[in-house]
Amino acid sequence: MPEFMYMKESITDYAGIMAKTIREWGEKEVLPSRKEYDEDYEHKLIYPAMKKLFVDMGLQKLVWPKEYGGAGIEPMALPTTLVRALEEVGKADPGMGFVFAGTFSLFTSIALEPHVNRELCTEFAPIYCESGEVRTGSLIFPEQGYLVGKEVANIKGRSIRVRAEPGDNEWVVNGEELRPVNSGAMADIFGVVCATDSGEIAYVLIPSNLEGVKRGDPILKTGLASDKNANVSLENVKIPDKYVVWRGEDAKYIGELVSWHTLCCCAICVGAMMDTYKTLKEWSTTRIIRGKPLKENPVDAIVLADVAEEIALSRILTYNLANTLSKSEIYGDRWSDEVSTLAEMIGMYVANAASKVIGRAMELMASMGYAREGDIEKHWRDVKTIQSSMGGSMPVLMDIARLFYECETL
Amino acid sequence: MPEFMYMKESITDYAGIMAKTIREWGEKEVLPSRKEYDEDYEHKLIYPAMKKLFVDMGLQKLVWPKEYGGAGIEPMALPTTLVRALEEVGKADPGMGFVFAGTFSLFTSIALEPHVNRELCTEFAPIYCESGEVRTGSLIFPEQGYLVGKEVANIKGRSIRVRAEPGDNEWVVNGEELRPVNSGAMADIFGVVCATDSGEIAYVLIPSNLEGVKRGDPILKTGLASDKNANVSLENVKIPDKYVVWRGEDAKYIGELVSWHTLCCCAICVGAMMDTYKTLKEWSTTRIIRGKPLKENPVDAIVLADVAEEIALSRILTYNLANTLSKSEIYGDRWSDEVSTLAEMIGMYVANAASKVIGRAMELMASMGYAREGDIEKHWRDVKTIQSSMGGSMPVLMDIARLFYECETL
Amino acid sequence: MVSIDDFARQKEYISPMDGQYGPIMRDITDNEIIPNRGKFDEDWLDHKYVEPIMKDILVDKGSLQKALFPTDYGGLSFNYLEYRPAALLARIFEEVGRGDTAIAVATGVTLWPLTLIGVEPLIRMDLLEEFAPIYCETEEPMFGMMAMTEPQGGSDIENVDHVRGRTIKTVARLEGDEWVINGHKLWPTNSGGATKGVMAVICTTKSGSLDPNDFAVIYVPAKTKGVRQGAPYKKAGMAADKNSDIWFEDVRVPKEYRAWSPGLDAEYFRSIGSWGCFGSIGFAAGELCDTCQILDQHFSDRIYRGRPMKEFDAVASVLADIAVDAQMARWALYEVAHTLDRPDLYGNSWSPAVEARIRGTKLWVVDTAVRDTEKALDLLGRYGYDRAWALEKHWRDEKIIQLWLGGRQLNQMIVARWFYKCETL
Amino acid sequence: MVSIDDFARQKEYISPMDGQYGPIMRDITDNEIIPNRGKFDEDWLDHKYVEPIMKDILVDKGSLQKALFPTDYGGLSFNYLEYRPAALLARIFEEVGRGDTAIAVATGVTLWPLTLIGVEPLIRMDLLEEFAPIYCETEEPMFGMMAMTEPQGGSDIENVDHVRGRTIKTVARLEGDEWVINGHKLWPTNSGGATKGVMAVICTTKSGSLDPNDFAVIYVPAKTKGVRQGAPYKKAGMAADKNSDIWFEDVRVPKEYRAWSPGLDAEYFRSIGSWGCFGSIGFAAGELCDTCQILDQHFSDRIYRGRPMKEFDAVASVLADIAVDAQMARWALYEVAHTLDRPDLYGNSWSPAVEARIRGTKLWVVDTAVRDTEKALDLLGRYGYDRAWALEKHWRDEKIIQLWLGGRQLNQMIVARWFYKCETL
């Protein structure tokens, strides 16, 4: 099987082994049943597979330092390890990858240098490292424009609708009908971008069992059946000061969550594309059209080529982003506008490419393209849902313009 | 000025210095007169600038080993050095970059390990390293389909129309109305892919002063005024055996010419885009539309962002290709299908991006977009001409399908 | 709020019955389809929500299953070009399509097989008389079906010029005065048990033959012995349309049920492509208008910097591009309808020129709808994937419209063949 | 070989004069423009090749500069809607446009300023009588001009709803019975010394005013004292059209030369957008048909594996997509023409609905033409940049059509404003 090249210099042996293990997990635990995931409303099929991945294979320990029971991956190696792992998860089921992406990114805020928060690691790491159950986190990011409530503050053209009032030793947090990035209906902890009346921006952690945390019904979605999302309302939720991870000057670190989350999404999309490629290659070899294998018809070959081209470029770009995140000394801080915007650019490209090429693959598989049985339409819906969840391209375009043209009023 | 990131790990100090020198050359020797290049049919303005670049600054020595009077760049550093240099040339004048790209790529066939040809280096290197004049080379590659003559053999769906007959100590070469990649009207030496009646494919060098080499009138082109191209006919041209650089099994190396040439074209296109970005940024800052700077209008900012996005991704991909060419031990031989197809994929993306974003930049500059005076329409025509010269995307798509789907009859 | 009426259509082309049927279909769409369409995905097997709507369209309110039968036989007599049947269907398809394209296709396909024998100049009055009771003397919706696709090489069937029927494995054998049909078809709209009306089955009278005389279109009432429809497939969208396998085992129908005759069946069969693509254009054009409306609603309600977000000019520019496409699509729809309504001006529906133009238009309109629903989803950000906004449903459905009827590639080949006189494609 | 005639147009919309003028324009295009267009790029300053062709179009063979003057004044009387002037112009623009869009625009812009006073229902018979001798009593081509764009904020002028004339710096002052005009315009087609007929100059009667009553369209014969045209600019394409700066220094014309009146000038001015975009659609639609023809020729001649390369199905698929677009563009062209010819059905040319639809259509057709010429170039490989194949010229020219008249963004805003009722764009 020809390979989609990627920057191999920085891949560790550990990452290679992990990828192989996940691939085997996918083939054994996911592939036999994934055609039924969409109707698996109770997660009877999904949960056991996710548990194997998150708990038994330890994916939910990945972000945490060794001293708190985590995997303790060397920071330099973390981005590429993450990418190799999530490619494989994405091949099997983008939904589980997406749950992981949110959870992982959320905790980079307290688990990674230079902003390791020892107090919170001590408190939260055990939940993820010692539990025998799947534990997830849900990100609540500001959005461009809003349908309910009102804006408390504004960050890069996105409205923050979560109001945080600092008090004595605790903060009170309010927010109405918030749409999390992921996992709103299942998360154990929320990572929330909020603002005070005076316009100070903060990032806080909110355990879902606190009083006043209300979740709506699970949202009916295009795809990502493995991720249950729901709108979340925060009604006078009281959190201790220590859960305010970043505020004031430190709010700059929020950019890092974007960088990590986008890297994860890219890797998942690349995985979904690679699995589609595999299915398509098989189909185009065995399907006979006009007397020859489909792939030998040039008019179809141009579509096949388009699929391969986008996968190849997406993979290169994704590894490049990983490389950028692993070498701050060369490329700048992971939370800087330069790096987080680079991440967004690559994220926009890769998510778009995934949605596009899986759609093109469907073109060649005709009715087997849109039948569940053909085994690619789920990827198509899943990556489209990831793309939407990332917030759409408009706010990214504004960020790009802001950075490269030094726009001041966008 | 914000920077378009690229893989910096592999850039040498030498490359940095060279880039700076070329940038200064561009600003001094090219910018003041480039608006008149299109009507400079006699190259009265172009030649002196090109001479400074090729001869005085030594660009035409770049490919050659030190022992033959060349620059003797370490092979590992050659690709990135080339890219940095050609980005800067591309900013100033893609046409001169394109002449260089053809010349450089042509001689990689005899100047680079593992296929250094000492006899031919000894013969040809001095022409380029010791001359006080601009010396160029022109590539004659097979094309997909043909308008005149007939096919002698076929390589990856491209027709070879140059017939080579091996004789005693010399070969006789014939070809009718061939369309070179570059510089047909000015080259000192042609690098020609040809085939024998028995279907053996060869790559030969043909000095332009040999009897039977006929050049047509310079082709009226969309852009690239600095490159004079012309159709070339070869009528019973006799060349000594030693000019047959590759034949039989060695014909596989032809892929390497594609890899190098594409890398060069990518770098030139990135340079042209970066120069466009600079002009556009200035324009969008000073032009007032609806009462504010153009760049502060979101509807225009999405176009600005699109331009920046494509430049950023193109630059990353180009450096990635350079990295691939510099590390054969990791990524495979530069002439392999895997590497040359990767080059083509990236080349297709970058050339397309360049044509697209310069076109988009024109959208925002309205009539100054298409007026010579606005200083971007030349880049737009130049990169489009490069894109065409690379042969169009159809044969590349077929190569991609062939590699990734193992098609056998395309 | 922008509505379908804001997009111009060619007033001189409109059917004289437009004023009567337009409002009926609009009522069904606005009051039955749109309020319920969010539930169709889970309703894919039972059609608990879908069936009552189809009954209103085909029987109670619209009576559309009677459309192509003469009034003498209890029908509506839309057979005649003076009534501009295509322009009327255009109106029906776009109205229903903006609600749900699957309901629109279930409606359209009920009439589709009959276009070959029930619209001027292709009228087989004897067959209309024969089949009229099935559709006109019932209170039940009687879906129809075109049984074309086969397990291997799906669109090869429609690729008449190139494949010339060679790959058809459903064989019709003449025994005395009866055709005996054996074969296996896949995917027709209104299969999965839905069709109770008449199906048109594409057969060969001689397996593997390249002779157009062996290409046969034979009508089979759904209740005929030996016809078996499988269970519906699960698919990416279009839950209101059921698709399944369908088997024909020693199915016997009278000799007269062949549409026309050896040679003519193959020749007229192109009109199935023309009518099928025309329908697809209608569904998509309606959906595009609805996409504009949903976007208008979303971005009127969504606030950005104190104003409705549609006033944010970057968003407005995307909305504008989609509105332009919707206008182009609506014009194209009525142009194609007029082409079918005026064979005297533009040629017959089975002429290669007409088929090429209509297939080309389908290619454009549906590709555009796919792309525009993608853009629309992207614009909605985290509401894009949310089924509550219905845009993602349009996106899933349009993709299916893009793939059926041979998909993009077959249409491209048919266009190239006619416009560029390609001879070997 | 595919030709423009293979793309359908709406037969019921065609002008009664189509049969007379179509062949004349086709003859000029096929025998004068196409054989010479390869030389236009070097002819940008002298117009040695261009001028004789323009003379044939405007005077000797086509007499088009007389089109909008009544026969009583020596003209052709195309003022009346019963002659379907827009449908006739559509034919002329597409025929000439497939040869050279710059010649087409030079032709169109000669009539453009007159559409505001010379096509029903906007008829100023007194001004037509006044200007008729300039165009009808001469053997010289008398180019006309719309002087709109100003040095800063070009398309702001046309952005009437938003900018409301505020940025117009060309001031018309009423002195007794005369307007005195001072200002500086850029870029009009037929400038650079070409215009010898009449120019319409967009002025304000009060600098910086937002009052639509101050927006004035005033006609100025080119020979009037104080009018000065600069030297032509060098540009990326469209060498057969000259553009330059133009200065107005104390230019005096009679009071009656104002098109209509305070308020009405601003209101009717939208029709300039409608007509201008209609012309652009015509040029581009013609060009798209020619692109198909060039591609057919190239890939019929180009051999691949022993067959014409158009039989290579991957190439055919691209050719097909472009043919589909050309068909869509031609339909759109005649639809827009009919919209202008039938204000009774679709509204006046200056109504926001009509302007929005036509600007939207221009956006689509020209964007499509740009993209398709790009695809075509790509397909030609090393012949793509070769001026001998003319495709690259079409590519350069289409880009310019895309950018003029406010470019993509202004059209998007005008479309969004009308379809989505945006209020602040």
Side-chain angles (χ1 to χ4, degrees), chain A residues 39 143-146 157 179 220 222 229 287 359-360 363 367 370 372 377 380 388-389 392-393 409-410, chain C residues 151-154 162 187 234-236 302-305 378 381-382 385-387 392 395 399-400 403 408:
Chain A
E39 286 76 26
E143 288 182 272
Q144 193 188 32
Y146 51 90
R179 168 75 39 115
L220 290 173
T222 303
N229 202 0
R287 178 78 167 181
R360 295 223 78 185
E363 278 178 30
S367 39
Y370 55 86
R372 187 74 57 79
E377 67 85 30
W380 177 67
S388 286
S389 302
S393 58
T409 67
L410 281 184
Chain C
Q152 178 61 276
H162 188 84
W187 279 106
K234 281 192 214 166
K235 49 196 208 295
R302 190 161 170 168
I303 302 301
Y304 185 69
R305 298 194 166 160
D378 179 48
R382 296 195 178 104
Y385 62 70
D386 188 337
R387 280 178 39 200
E392 65 84 40
W395 170 74
K399 191 73 196 174
I400 295 180
L403 301 187
R408 305 184 66 251

Side-chain angles (χ1 to χ4, degrees), chain A residues 378-398:
Chain A
K378 177 175 171 297
H379 279 324
W380 177 67
R381 290 183 292 107
D382 284 350
V383 300
K384 179 54 85 182
T385 309
I386 292 179
Q387 188 185 24
S388 286
S389 302
M390 292 165 78
S393 58
M394 190 62 78
V396 174
L397 292 170
M398 293 298 125

Side-chain angles (χ1 to χ4, degrees), chain A residues 61 64-71 110-111 116-130:
Chain A
K61 294 186 191 177
W64 302 101
K66 196 148 205 120
E67 57 206 284
Y68 302 105
I110 58 171
V116 171
N117 184 320
R118 303 198 180 278
E119 188 178 12
L120 294 182
C121 279
T122 307
E123 180 169 350
F124 292 124
I127 300 178
Y128 293 83
C129 301
E130 292 170 16

Side-chain angles (χ1 to χ4, degrees), chain B residues 86-247:
Chain B
L86 282 172
E87 282 182 347
E88 296 301 333
V89 178
K91 285 180 187 174
D93 180 55
M96 292 186 207
F98 193 67
V99 173
F100 173 78
T103 308
F104 177 93
S105 309
L106 191 158
F107 289 112
T108 60
S109 61
I110 58 171
L112 293 193
E113 291 298 352
H115 42 65
V116 171
N117 184 320
R118 302 194 180 283
E119 186 178 13
L120 294 181
C121 278
T122 307
E123 179 168 351
F124 293 124
I127 299 178
Y128 292 82
C129 301
E130 292 171 14
S131 169
E133 300 297 327
V134 171
R135 297 293 183 198
T136 63
S138 165
L139 289 169
I140 298 187
F141 278 170
E143 286 182 273
Q144 192 188 31
Y146 51 90
L147 288 162
V148 286
K150 61 179 186 173
E151 182 178 301
V152 184
N154 190 294
I155 179 171
K156 287 181 155 193
R158 282 96 160 162
S159 303
I160 298 173
R161 291 194 294 113
V162 184
R163 189 158 163 265
E165 297 164 74
D168 294 340
N169 302 323
E170 64 178 23
W171 286 42
V172 182
V173 185
N174 276 285
E176 190 185 348
E177 291 286 315
L178 306 163
R179 167 77 38 116
V181 174
N182 67 294
S183 314
M186 54 203 271
D188 301 284
I189 293 183
F190 292 96
V192 183
V193 175
C194 48
T196 66
D197 283 336
S198 65
E200 186 185 12
I201 291 167
Y203 173 72
V204 305
L205 300 188
I206 303 183
S208 60
N209 55 10
L210 291 190
E211 200 176 337
V213 175
K214 307 264 165 77
R215 316 188 205 234
D217 291 333
I219 300 162
L220 290 173
K221 303 196 305 302
T222 302
L224 295 184
S226 300
D227 183 29
K228 291 192 191 179
N229 202 1
N231 281 354
V232 172
S233 290
L234 304 170
E235 295 175 6
N236 287 317
V237 176
K238 297 196 171 90
I239 56 168
D241 273 353
K242 64 178 176 178
Y243 286 2
V244 179
V245 179
W246 294 323
R247 60 182 290 197

Side-chain angles (χ1 to χ4, degrees), chain A residues 31 34 89-94 268 271-277 279 354-355 358 375-385, chain C residues 395:
Chain A
L31 262 57
R34 73 175 171 188
V89 179
K91 284 181 189 174
D93 180 55
I268 299 165
M273 283 192 266
M274 287 170 77
D275 190 53
T276 301
Y277 159 75
T279 306
S355 163
I358 302 177
D375 218 15
I376 61 171
E377 67 85 30
K378 177 175 171 297
H379 279 324
W380 177 67
R381 290 183 292 107
D382 284 350
V383 300
K384 179 54 85 182
T385 309
Chain C
W395 170 74

Side-chain angles (χ1 to χ4, degrees), chain C residues 46-307:
Chain C
D46 299 333
H47 276 195
K48 194 168 62 173
Y49 296 97
V50 172
E51 277 239 9
I53 299 170
M54 289 308 309
K55 187 158 184 291
D56 274 347
I57 293 173
L58 294 180
V59 187
D60 299 345
K61 296 181 178 169
S63 306
L64 285 181
Q65 68 191 25
K66 302 183 188 176
L68 296 179
F69 297 97
T71 39
D72 286 355
Y73 308 138
L76 304 175
S77 266
F78 293 178
N79 318 74
Y80 306 104
L81 294 177
E82 63 186 299
Y83 295 133
R84 302 205 171 169
L88 181 63
L89 287 172
R91 177 69 195 276
I92 292 167
F93 292 157
E94 63 174 7
E95 287 288 353
V96 179
R98 77 190 167 79
D100 183 82
T101 50
I103 291 196
V105 71
T107 305
V109 170
T110 292
L111 301 178
W112 197 19
L114 300 174
T115 56
L116 203 59
I117 53 168
V119 179
E120 280 187 321
L122 298 181
I123 303 237
R124 281 266 323 257
M125 204 51 91
D126 57 331
L127 285 184
L128 293 180
E129 183 174 5
E130 177 95 3
F131 298 143
I134 300 177
Y135 292 92
C136 304
E137 297 172 9
T138 177
E139 291 302 306
E140 249 194 292
M142 285 287 144
F143 297 90
M145 180 200 294
M146 281 296 313
M148 301 197 289
T149 305
E150 303 210 341
Q152 178 61 276
S155 66
D156 275 356
I157 303 274
E158 294 160 75
N159 199 354
V160 188
D161 285 318
H162 188 84
V163 183
R164 297 168 65 195
R166 181 173 76 230
T167 62
I168 303 174
K169 300 228 182 317
T170 300
V171 178
R173 202 174 67 242
L174 199 58
E175 280 190 22
D177 280 348
E178 285 186 334
W179 289 109
V180 183
I181 303 173
N182 279 284
H184 177 196
K185 298 282 187 182
L186 296 184
W187 279 106
T189 280
N190 295 337
S191 51
T195 292
K196 293 173 181 167
V198 172
M199 8 185 115
V201 186
I202 309 306
C203 311
T204 180
T205 55
K206 190 175 159 198
S207 186
S209 167
L210 287 162
D211 184 348
N213 291 321
D214 289 316
F215 184 99
V217 180
I218 299 176
Y219 288 88
V220 176
K223 64 173 196 327
T224 312
K225 190 169 164 244
V227 175
R228 187 159 56 86
Q229 299 180 43
Y233 314 134
K234 281 192 214 166
K235 49 196 208 295
M238 290 231 164
D241 164 32
K242 289 188 188 176
N243 312 103
S244 72
D245 290 58
I246 175 160
W247 292 270
F248 300 88
E249 288 161 21
D250 285 329
V251 171
R252 286 172 181 270
V253 294
K255 188 177 168 187
E256 292 75 30
Y257 282 16
R258 180 172 190 164
W260 294 91
S261 61
L264 283 185
D265 278 13
E267 187 177 345
Y268 295 160
F269 179 65
R270 276 184 208 284
S271 82
I272 288 295
S274 298
W275 282 96
C277 287
F278 158 61
S280 308
I281 296 164
F283 318 149
E287 178 278 306
L288 268 169
C289 293
D290 193 52
T291 292
C292 292
Q293 191 166 340
I294 296 173
L295 286 171
D296 195 347
Q297 192 188 335
H298 186 92
F299 290 106
S300 293
D301 291 350
R302 190 161 170 168
I303 302 301
Y304 185 69
R305 298 194 166 160
R307 293 184 302 170

Side-chain angles (χ1 to χ4, degrees), chain D residues 172-199:
Chain D
R173 203 173 67 242
L174 199 57
E175 279 191 24
D177 282 347
E178 284 186 336
W179 290 108
V180 183
I181 302 172
N182 280 284
H184 176 198
K185 298 281 186 183
L186 297 183
W187 279 106
T189 281
N190 294 337
S191 51
T195 292
K196 292 172 181 170
V198 173
M199 13 185 111

